[in-house]
Amino acid sequence: MGERKDYMFTSESVSEGHPDKVADRISDEVVDAFLGADPMARVACETMVTTNRIILAGEVRGPAGVVEGLEAKVRAAIRDIGYEQAGFHWKNADYACHLHAQSADIAMGVDAAGNKDEGAGDQGIMFGYATDETPELMPATLQYSHNILKRLAKARHSGERPELEPDAKSQVTLIYENGRPVRAASIVLSTQHRDGLTPADVAELTRPYVLEVFPDGFVTDETAWHVNPTGNFVIGGPDGDCGLTGRKIIVDTYGGAAPHGGGAFSGKDPSKVDRSAAYACRYLAKNVVAAGLAARCTIQISYAIGVAAPLSFYVDLHGGNHIDPAKLERLLPELIGGATPRAIREHLGLNRPVYARTAAYGHFGRQPEPDGGFSWERTDLADELRRAF
């Protein structure tokens, strides 16, 4: 029996104003501040945001003085998201920073020394995935969930929709026929709003933006809509719910359509394989699909702390296109210098302050940017892969 062809699948997303995403953004602003001052800086920053409080903790290694400048950057990021509420305000929230120096034991295992290459920053498993069901080569359920919230945030930031506040969640269920997404079974949207709006008001003002996101014919008379199903959503953000870094790992990756190694991304410099190797796996999987070698590709890689070479490299083409995955398992790591942490960082140019922008609306399915942002979304290996097969 082959894979199922007809089914329903669901993914969710959360906006940049979701408390966990506020925490992710702050942690990545810290990463950018350190990498901007020293490309080889080390950062592992956790953030907690709650009612009028911002708390940073973790380990860093970098130029003196960076920590002193963080408070202004953190407040600017919260202002950029749009929090000027009584319970959480970019200017008035209490700020506490507990960052301290990285452990010398960890540094010893990770740093290059003599003829020892730089080791992985931790043990662990990382996954990458790509599918041809959207132009971004991402699962459609997740891509549309992100796009709904991105579109609403644009309307909010531009002043077109001042009724909307920063905190929001979306969820999309699609009907798949013959393995392809064809229609929306249900759309769920919860968005924070100014006081005085009913759920019907919110549904009416958000609906046109939601419809823009879907291909023609996806939303039908049968599509179920659930907009602000709890009723009022005035109190939100870190005032309504405590936010923590690294709590939205499935939103950040593939919306449940692919396995996850369990490690979060935000707040980590690229010596941490949780982040850099997961980006490399996405890059390789995306290039396999972009080259037309398979409709879907999942890649797993694993590391031991302090050891440079990966312990394993696995490719799953989901029964597609009669390419030998074992041949890809040999070839793909070679295309990125053996997939050591240093080779990944250098190939993708990861030692740059490009991380704050990754903190909302997914780390994957984005456009590569001129300054090196989202470099792992390039498809520059596709021609070479086509030639090899």
Side-chain angles (χ1 to χ4, degrees), residues 4 25 73 136 140 170-171 198-199 203 222 242 246-247 274 294 308 315 343 356:
R4 287 181 66 194
R25 169 74 179 268
K73 287 184 161 73
E136 299 88 353
S170 63
Q171 187 170 285
T198 66
E222 272 80 66
C242 181
R247 291 284 289 272
D274 275 340
V315 176

Side-chain angles (χ1 to χ4, degrees), residues 147-180:
N147 292 352
I148 287 168
L149 297 178
K150 227 190 278 195
R151 185 64 192 90
L152 290 171
K154 190 179 168 189
R156 174 174 66 83
H157 284 299
S158 71
E160 191 185 321
R161 281 291 164 218
E163 308 94 326
L164 297 176
E165 294 281 359
D167 192 1
K169 299 180 90 166
S170 63
Q171 187 170 285
V172 172
T173 302
L174 295 181
I175 296 166
Y176 284 70
E177 288 177 358
N178 204 19
R180 310 300 293 177

Side-chain angles (χ1 to χ4, degrees), residues 248 292 384:
K248 288 289 171 279
E384 200 172 337

Side-chain angles (χ1 to χ4, degrees), residues 126-370:
M126 299 86 212
F127 288 91
Y129 180 71
T131 169
D132 68 358
E133 61 189 53
T134 58
E136 299 88 353
L137 303 186
M138 288 290 287
T141 48
L142 180 66
Q143 195 62 50
Y144 300 145
S145 296
H146 285 326
N147 292 352
I148 287 168
L149 297 178
K150 227 190 278 195
R151 185 64 192 90
L152 290 171
K154 190 179 168 189
R156 174 174 66 83
H157 284 299
S158 71
E160 191 185 321
R161 281 291 164 218
E163 308 94 326
L164 297 176
E165 294 281 359
D167 192 1
K169 299 180 90 166
S170 63
Q171 187 170 285
V172 172
T173 302
L174 295 181
I175 296 166
Y176 284 70
E177 288 177 358
N178 204 19
R180 310 300 293 177
V182 291
R183 286 189 306 288
S186 63
I187 297 164
V188 183
L189 173 68
S190 295
T191 179
Q192 191 185 15
H193 55 85
R194 297 269 164 94
D195 205 3
L197 269 67
T198 66
D201 296 334
V202 175
E204 193 179 342
L205 76 87
T206 55
R207 188 181 178 102
Y209 300 105
V210 175
L211 288 172
E212 273 179 41
V213 161
F214 289 93
D216 285 348
F218 259 62
V219 180
T220 68
D221 295 344
E222 272 80 66
T223 303
W225 289 72
H226 301 280
V227 179
N228 283 18
T230 60
N232 242 16
F233 188 0
V234 175
I235 298 165
D239 186 27
D241 258 323
C242 181
L244 296 167
T245 303
R247 291 284 289 272
K248 288 289 171 279
I249 60 176
I250 299 302
V251 171
D252 283 346
T253 54
Y254 307 104
H260 197 297
F265 299 155
S266 289
K268 296 175 182 172
D269 75 81
S271 76
K272 319 281 191 289
V273 279
D274 275 340
R275 182 168 220 161
S276 53
Y279 286 180
C281 287
R282 160 66 179 171
Y283 172 63
L284 294 174
K286 186 177 185 183
N287 275 275
V288 167
V289 174
L293 301 185
R296 293 195 294 143
C297 176
T298 302
I299 292 175
Q300 187 207 48
I301 197 166
S302 67
Y303 294 90
I305 188 166
V307 179
L311 306 184
S312 65
F313 189 88
Y314 164 77
V315 176
D316 183 359
L317 300 178
H318 303 276
N321 290 32
H322 315 296
I323 299 275
D324 180 8
K327 187 174 171 186
L328 278 171
E329 286 165 356
R330 290 189 297 275
L331 176 64
L332 290 173
E334 284 171 24
L335 295 180
I336 54 166
T340 66
R342 182 211 296 264
I344 288 170
R345 285 192 303 97
E346 290 175 355
H347 187 95
L348 296 176
L350 296 180
N351 290 84
R352 292 188 254 207
V354 293
Y355 295 104
R357 69 192 74 166
T358 66
Y361 314 118
H363 293 243
F364 308 131
R366 311 282 288 269
Q367 286 297 314
E369 292 175 352

Side-chain angles (χ1 to χ4, degrees), residues 22-39:
V22 175
D24 282 342
R25 169 74 179 268
I26 292 168
S27 290
D28 274 339
E29 292 283 355
V30 173
V31 173
D32 283 357
F34 273 92
L35 292 178
D38 173 8

